[in-house]
């Protein structure tokens, strides 16, 4: 069997794998990326957060992405029962980017991967990781199947597992653990958005809240297509009869605001459905490997944190591996797990408090409190490590306490 030797093997060429690859390549490390599918390939996860612009900039990918002309995302709109809560990323507590993109991921991921290949990064498409053996010192031998079904092996000092829902190392090393996020499922597709209104309205990312657990996303792209999808408890999604096309057609009738715009449009592909999508692991690293992106953790799409977490964790893992390859010592527990979990825990609170209704109380209470809004907006922009923001530092108490106060006030007025 053919053998290849590298410093770092990266599994998966999504945003997580490519950010790690780009950083390590720029540092002159010998790397190989193996990607199971042929690009461009569809993947969900189309609304980005400003924080991930920092990552693209740091690894030198911003210009090529900018040149492509993806739709700019300057905020996000949440609506419920006719009340609209508009977040504008330029009005937020933390320093940082005030815009990002909303992207068809097939194109977005392909632009990044192609750019890396042009720069000389070794990305093997249609090569699938089958098995991994670790030595006691953390070095590994990975068995890979190429596009012709031939097996070969890669010896690596480190592995970054960025395999997304492939979850290669969590599966092989038995690292999966149940997520603490309540179970939800989703059904989604793209449409040619021929009824799209002119101007800003036609480009807005919107979360149309239909119930405590049920919401509908609208993500318009610059190519004229729009991503539409429903999220709800698994029982809710399953309560719709027929195939996914019929289910999504029937769900669309639930949105008073959008049903006319999307009524009768052909779906660009048979709606896909992902059930109980939240994932977690028992550990984020081990001797010789780090898990990044969805392979490590996925919470919920409601605040679009997936890609940003994927790029944040990949960049961090790549930096720590570079240090080790340069013979510097790394405390993975502190520098990786504790750092990453700080951000994950903030988003995790926001997701949980969204589904308890407490965060919805804050979003839709009128009149709005401009300071609170700026602080929450910084979290929604992905700046979840900024402890000068009370809504980051005291995330576990503040949302709950404030919602409680607002609800008490409302009840007193009603008496
Ligand atoms: P991926 O982008 O999934 O890339 C992993 C790659 O690994 C794939 O290309 C795959 O082919 C490859 N791979 C898998 N197994 C193997 C193997 N054995 N060998 C080699 N390669 C392999 N996130 C957002 O930021 N915004 C959103 O609006 C959003 N909406 C979402 C909606 C839903 C319903 C769901 C479920 C998720 C959503 N997400 C969203 C999350 C988003 O999809 C992920 O967080 C993001 O794609 C993770 O990127 P990644 O690079 O970790 O993985």
């Amino acid at each position: 069997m053919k053998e290849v030797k590298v410093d770092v093997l990266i599994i998966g060429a999504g945003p997580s794998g490519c950010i790690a690859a780009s950083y390590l390549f720029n540092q002159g490390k010998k790397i190989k990326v193996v990607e199971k599918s042929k690009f461009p390939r569809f993947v969900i996860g189309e609304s980005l957060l400003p924080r991930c612009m920092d990552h693209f900039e740091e690894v030198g990918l911003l210009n090529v992405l900018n040149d492509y002309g993806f739709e700019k995302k300057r905020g996000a709109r949440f609506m419920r029962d006719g009340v609209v809560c508009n977040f504008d990323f330029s009005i937020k507590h933390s320093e940082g980017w005030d815009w990002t993109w909303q992207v068809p991921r097939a194109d977005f991921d392909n632009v990044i991967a192609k750019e890396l290949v042009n720069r000389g990064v070794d990305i093997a498409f249609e090569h699938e990781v089958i098995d991994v053996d670790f030595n006691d010192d953390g070095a590994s031998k990975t068995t890979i199947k190429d596009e012709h079904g031939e097996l070969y092996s890669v010896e690596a000092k480190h592995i970054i597992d960025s395999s997304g829902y492939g979850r290669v190392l969590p599966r092989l090393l038995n690292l999966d653990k149940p997520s603490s996020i309540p179970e939800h499922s989703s059904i989604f597709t793209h449409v040619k958005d021929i009824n799209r209104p002119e101007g800003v309205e036609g480009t807005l990312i919107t979360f149309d809240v239909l119930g405590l657990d049920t919401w509908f996303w609208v993500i318009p792209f610059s190519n004229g297509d729009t991503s539409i999808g429903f999220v709800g408890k698994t029982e809710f999604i399953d309560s719709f009869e027929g195939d996914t096309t019929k289910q999504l057609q029937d769900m669309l009738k639930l949105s008073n605001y959008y049903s006319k715009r999307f009524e009768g449009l052909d779906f660009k592909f048979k709606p896909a459905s992902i059930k109980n999508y939240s994932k977690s692991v028992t550990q984020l690293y081990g001797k010789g490997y780090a898990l990044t992106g969805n392979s490590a953790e996925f919470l919920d799409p409601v605040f679009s944190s997936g890609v940003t977490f994927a790029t944040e964790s990949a960049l961090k893992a790549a930096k720590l591996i570079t240090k080790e390859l340069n013979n510097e010592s790394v405390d993975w527990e502190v520098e990786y797990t504790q750092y990453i979990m700080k951000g994950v825990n903030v988003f995790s609170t926001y997701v949980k408090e969204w589904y308890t209704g407490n965060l919805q109380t804050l979003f839709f209470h009128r009149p709005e409190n401009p300071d609170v809004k700026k602080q929450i907006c910084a979290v929604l922009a992905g700046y979840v490590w900024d402890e000068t923001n009370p809504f980051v530092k005291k995330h576990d108490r503040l949302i709950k306490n404030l919602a409680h106060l607002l609800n008490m006030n409302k009840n007193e007025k009603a008496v």
Side-chain angles (χ1 to χ4, degrees), residues 398-412:
L398 209 45
I399 298 170
K400 207 180 282 160
N401 292 347
L402 194 53
H404 184 65
L405 265 177
L406 294 175
N407 284 331
M408 262 182 17
N409 267 344
K410 202 165 121 194
N411 292 340
E412 273 168 19

Side-chain angles (χ1 to χ4, degrees), residues 18-69:
C18 281
I19 284 282
S22 190
Y23 182 85
L24 289 160
F25 183 77
N26 293 346
Q27 298 301 312
K29 305 303 174 201
K30 189 163 168 40
I31 60 168
K32 181 172 184 72
V33 184
V34 281
E35 165 56 54
K36 186 167 94 174
S37 43
K38 185 176 179 180
F39 274 29
R41 59 91 180 86
F42 175 84
V43 65
I44 196 65
E46 298 149 335
S47 153
L48 309 184
L49 299 184
R51 170 66 184 157
C52 72
M53 305 300 269
D54 292 307
H55 310 138
F56 294 124
E57 186 172 34
E58 186 166 347
V59 302
L61 286 169
L62 206 57
N63 288 346
V64 70
L65 288 169
N66 214 7
D67 290 347
Y68 191 86

Side-chain angles (χ1 to χ4, degrees), residues 173-208:
L173 303 178
N174 230 346
L175 305 176
D176 271 317
K177 84 166 185 205
S179 170
S180 63
I181 303 291
E183 281 191 348
H184 286 88
S185 296
S186 179
I187 182 165
F188 47 84
T189 189
H190 291 173
V191 292
K192 183 136 226 54
D193 197 358
I194 50 174
N195 303 323
R196 183 183 284 186
E198 292 284 312
V200 177
E201 173 66 29
T203 66
L204 279 182
I205 284 206
T206 301
F207 299 82
D208 186 6

Side-chain angles (χ1 to χ4, degrees), residues 113-136:
K114 253 171 65 188
E115 173 67 11
L116 293 190
V117 170
N118 288 342
R119 288 180 191 177
V121 176
D122 173 6
I123 305 185
F125 292 98
E126 296 180 85
H127 286 212
E128 181 180 1
V129 168
I130 301 294
D131 200 9
V132 185
D133 262 336
F134 285 97
N135 296 336
D136 292 343

Side-chain angles (χ1 to χ4, degrees), residues 11-17 34-37 39 41 43-48 105 109 127-129 162-168 171 186 188 217 219 231 274 277 292-295 298 301 304-308 310:
I11 310 174
S16 202
V34 281
E35 165 56 54
K36 186 167 94 174
S37 43
F39 274 29
R41 59 91 180 86
V43 65
I44 196 65
E46 298 149 335
S47 153
L48 309 184
R105 284 283 303 281
D109 291 15
H127 286 212
E128 181 180 1
V129 168
S162 307
S163 60
Y165 278 117
R167 304 179 66 73
V168 171
R171 270 192 297 107
S186 179
F188 47 84
W217 80 64
I219 305 176
V231 169
I274 303 186
Y277 45 62
T292 69
N294 259 31
S295 176
F298 178 63
S304 308
S305 57
V307 170
T308 297

Side-chain angles (χ1 to χ4, degrees), residues 207-400:
F207 299 82
D208 186 6
V209 183
L210 305 167
L212 189 61
D213 280 280
T214 313
W215 52 276
F216 171 53
W217 80 64
V218 175
I219 305 176
F221 302 136
S222 59
N223 63 7
D225 293 347
T226 290
S227 170
I228 54 174
F230 280 83
V231 169
K233 285 200 159 167
T234 307
E235 308 91 85
F236 166 81
I237 304 280
D238 286 347
S239 70
F240 286 79
E241 290 184 353
D243 64 356
T244 54
T245 302
K246 170 91 171 69
Q247 286 181 313
L248 191 52
Q249 278 164 346
D250 285 345
M251 282 179 211
L252 276 170
K253 295 178 192 149
L254 300 175
S255 171
N256 288 333
Y257 194 83
Y258 281 109
S259 53
K260 272 258 156 334
R261 173 158 154 194
F262 299 118
E263 193 178 26
L265 296 188
D266 286 338
F267 298 149
K268 294 204 77 173
F269 54 87
K270 191 174 171 64
S273 168
I274 303 186
K275 295 209 167 152
N276 305 325
Y277 45 62
S278 306
K279 299 284 173 231
S280 191
V281 281
T282 51
Q283 58 195 68
L284 292 181
Y285 71 93
K287 222 171 184 183
Y289 70 86
L291 310 180
T292 69
N294 259 31
S295 176
E297 180 95 34
F298 178 63
L299 299 169
D300 193 274
V302 67
F303 300 122
S304 308
S305 57
V307 170
T308 297
F309 168 67
T311 52
E312 182 92 36
S313 53
L315 188 54
K316 190 52 125 186
K319 284 180 178 175
L320 296 178
I321 286 172
T322 302
K323 270 172 89 177
E324 284 197 336
L325 289 170
N326 294 343
N327 294 320
E328 292 170 51
S329 69
V330 171
D331 182 341
W332 278 87
E333 193 53 34
V334 173
E335 294 177 68
Y336 193 61
T337 298
Q338 286 181 20
Y339 173 81
I340 293 298
M341 288 317 291
K342 223 178 201 173
V344 169
N345 287 339
V346 175
F347 269 124
S348 175
T349 298
Y350 277 66
V351 169
K352 286 177 187 163
E353 293 293 12
W354 177 261
Y355 291 114
T356 62
N358 285 331
L359 199 54
Q360 298 186 32
T361 300
L362 268 52
F363 277 28
F364 299 112
H365 181 265
R366 292 294 173 271
E368 293 183 306
N369 176 322
D371 289 330
V372 167
K373 195 160 182 198
K374 272 189 202 162
Q375 290 162 7
I376 293 180
C377 187
V379 171
L380 301 195
Y383 290 97
V384 285
W385 283 268
D386 175 10
E387 294 216 322
T388 69
N389 183 351
F391 272 82
V392 168
K393 196 168 167 62
K394 294 186 255 175
H395 63 93
D396 48 344
R397 281 165 289 144
L398 209 45
I399 298 170
K400 207 180 282 160

